[in-house]
Amino acid sequence: MSTAAARSVVPFRRPERAAEPSRTPQQERQPPQAEVLRLLGQNRFRYLHHNGAPYAVPYDGPPVAVPLRATASTGTGSLRQRLIHAYVTEHNRTPSQSALADAVAALDALAMHAAEVELPLRIAADPNDGVVTWLDLGRPDGESVRLAPGEWALTHPDPEIGPVWRRSRLVRPLPRPDRVAGGWRAGIEEFAELLPFTSETLPLAVGWLLAALRPNIPRPVAYLTGEQGTGKSTSGQMLAGVIEGARAPLRQAPENLRDLGPTTAAGWVLALDNLSGLPGWLSDALCRIVTGDAQVTRALYTDDDVNVLTYQRPVLLTGIDLGALRNDLAERMLPLELSPISRHKRRTAGALWAAYEQAHPRILGALLDLAAGIWAELPYAATHLTERPRLADFAELLHALDRVTGWRSLDAFNATQDALNETVLDGHPVAAALREWATSHAFPHGGWTGTMAELHRLLGSDGRGFADGWPKTPAVLSARIRQVAPALRSRGIHVARTSGSNKHGKTWAVTYIPPS
């Protein structure tokens, strides 16, 4: 690593060891517990802040930050527990609760001026090299994967340079990846034998996993679909588990937005199982999660302070039918169809998971081999890709994936987007009415011009105006048209406000150009 790359991004280096205060012989025999605990925390840890909360990082230990007061439920324990362990081990005594409280309060005060830094969870960009990505294996010793263009290696991040990991109970250990003798193709073939993806959707599933290895980019919402008996829930666990740990849990969709934020921020992949529909608030929230979101809530026991959760996560859903998709979510969806499993290929759950856990190191190694090649191709993709969908970063990644593998994953992704546009148009009453009218003989040659009120009367004249869900006012009709405008344009239907007006108000133009 170059000298420039070795620049520290952490606010503190190890200070001089704090001198213990002079004591009388009696004090030497019975030192104050609070002072001993404070010195342990001051000499063995450095301090920083993440989202306003103080964390401690051991000088002589893995680069994993621990909160000061949280319990073991965080996945790493807390500084308070570390101090208890050190005191019991070295002094063969149990510290009092008051001494612990005093020591932690003093360390919290000492950490008050520590710099605010980002503590990544599972995936991180290298603080000094923008083309390098890190993967936290979730292991006690802090061993991680350093993924660079053309290569990857198992190593321990320098705690002074970073990244410094944050962990929760959802950050499960990953196996140490193996380099497969047959290269990435052998590992991906083993992956394909375990999960019943179709030949068209397997490259997209691999592309989604690769996108999940890149920090700070928008990724599509992977949606496992298929008829009953295709193993959607198990396949979802295995797909997410490649980078989240074997048997990573799929979660039930939360009942409200307040519950969604903490569960999203605590893990890397947000995996929701067995959805039969999407309420509007959840559809909007998923759009924000894949592009980056922040949830601000009032801090407990305060009137003027807040808690802030920031996250941008890969999202995976399973289900049979999501109902009528909103256009903004449809543009971010990646349907992954699963093939029916024949009776002679079906295995018991125990045998399937045993095979998966045995293959997991090779699958992860193959994915890293493939990622290293794709990371090297991304600059070419950024320069030579001429057309990009809404998720432009993902399109560039698929373009690089196709150059490395010879697949046609970008074409397959564009085809899924086209099919989702049809789903949006079919499930949206305003879009369906406009499409039916614009493609009929009643549509004026050269297009139609008039006010939104006139368009409202025209589209609702055949009885639609009395149907449930039909917009009751011209203003609501205008808003509904804006919702599906991209899907309509993809089918040659353009609705836009003109610069003119008549005695009834601003005019709008509707044109239809049949797509080639």
Side-chain angles (χ1 to χ4, degrees), residues 500-513:
S501 61
N502 60 29
K503 62 181 180 179
H504 299 294
K506 295 285 186 179
T507 60
W508 294 71
V510 181
T511 57
Y512 174 58
I513 303 173

Side-chain angles (χ1 to χ4, degrees), residues 320-393:
I320 297 176
D321 181 18
L322 291 179
L325 285 174
R326 294 191 176 193
N327 186 69
D328 53 354
L329 180 60
E331 290 185 331
R332 296 173 172 88
M333 291 287 284
L334 179 66
L336 300 175
E337 185 177 358
L338 299 176
S339 301
I341 303 173
S342 61
R343 296 173 66 91
H344 70 278
K345 288 187 176 181
R346 193 174 293 277
R347 289 184 273 186
T348 65
L352 183 62
W353 277 109
Y356 177 84
E357 290 169 2
Q358 184 180 18
H360 195 174
R362 297 186 294 275
I363 293 171
L364 182 58
L367 186 69
L368 294 172
D369 285 341
L370 192 53
I374 289 166
W375 273 217
E377 287 288 339
L378 283 173
Y380 177 92
T383 303
H384 291 82
L385 187 61
T386 56
E387 294 184 4
R388 293 171 174 83
R390 185 165 187 168
L391 295 171
D393 300 84

Side-chain angles (χ1 to χ4, degrees), residues 138-159:
R139 303 174 71 83
D141 61 358
E143 187 176 39
S144 306
V145 175
R146 184 180 185 273
L147 179 57
E151 62 178 358
W152 63 270
L154 290 171
T155 184
H156 293 80
D158 188 327

